[in-house]
Amino acid sequence: MTKPLLRAVAAGVLACAVAAPAWASQTVTHWDAHDPLEQGAGVAFHESILDQYLFTLSGTSTLNVSVMEITAGGLLDMTGGFVRLVKWNNSDSPSYDVGSFNFDGATPQTYTFSNLAAGDYYFQVQGNWAVGGSQGVGYSFASALTTAPVPEPESLALMLAGLGALGLSSRRRKLG
């Protein structure tokens, strides 16, 4: 098969696999409680992309995020690839941006969001279709969760007993 025919076949297969409206691709995915590893991907033909991933953190956490553009041998091309993390408040408190970063090309871009408080968040992944030669846009996205360690009660009791023993021995040395 020739290259144009292969591209047309690949575009048809991808178009059938990912149905997107003609005006814009916008997908909202609910992860609920963030698992240790969450993944997502998006592909849109002849349009830009704007996807959201909603999730909840149960305690102080760190998120390591990796995203890269899917080029499919030049079939897809994105400009202005952008990821942002938003702390979402569904009460009277306003939502706010926690941070953001750009991505471009097939090399994974990584970013770490540290000391995130418990609550509701969402990632927004967006990119513009590079009109002229390409058929659309695509990306692959992963978020790894690390929670702050919580000491076991036995560890805390042992630590307190050790501090008490140090204090007692220090006092005995001063007195005697």
Side-chain angles (χ1 to χ4, degrees):
M1 277 201 243
T2 64
K3 277 192 172 183
L5 183 58
L6 281 172
R7 285 185 177 174
V9 169
V13 169
L14 284 172
C16 292
V18 179
W23 55 272
S25 173
Q26 186 171 7
T27 304
V28 177
T29 303
H30 296 269
W31 285 340
D32 298 320
H34 195 297
D35 287 335
L37 178 63
E38 295 282 6
Q39 298 177 358
V43 174
F45 290 94
H46 300 281
E47 61 193 357
S48 295
I49 201 162
L50 176 65
D51 292 346
Q52 291 181 339
Y53 297 90
L54 287 72
F55 60 94
T56 301
L57 297 176
S58 58
T60 303
S61 303
T62 297
L63 293 174
N64 295 303
V65 179
S66 178
V67 64
M68 67 182 237
E69 179 182 352
I70 298 172
T71 59
L75 182 65
L76 304 174
D77 190 15
M78 181 187 301
T79 62
F82 186 74
V83 175
R84 75 180 186 144
L85 176 62
V86 176
K87 173 81 166 85
W88 178 52
N89 293 309
N90 45 1
S91 62
D92 293 335
S93 304
S95 298
Y96 61 90
D97 284 356
V98 174
S100 60
F101 65 98
N102 297 321
F103 69 96
D104 188 24
T107 302
Q109 302 292 313
T110 58
Y111 193 84
T112 300
F113 297 98
S114 300
N115 297 321
L116 300 172
D120 296 323
Y121 293 83
Y122 68 86
F123 282 113
Q124 184 173 353
V125 182
Q126 63 188 48
N128 300 313
W129 173 36
V131 180
S134 73
Q135 301 299 311
V137 297
Y139 70 90
S140 175
F141 178 81
S143 175
L145 171 71
T146 306
T147 55
V150 177
E152 296 290 328
E154 296 84 13
S155 299
L156 285 174
L158 189 58
M159 182 182 73
L160 289 174
L163 287 174
L166 282 174
L168 186 60
S169 70
S170 172
R171 183 177 170 142
R172 282 188 182 170
R173 282 189 188 150
K174 283 183 182 179
L175 293 175

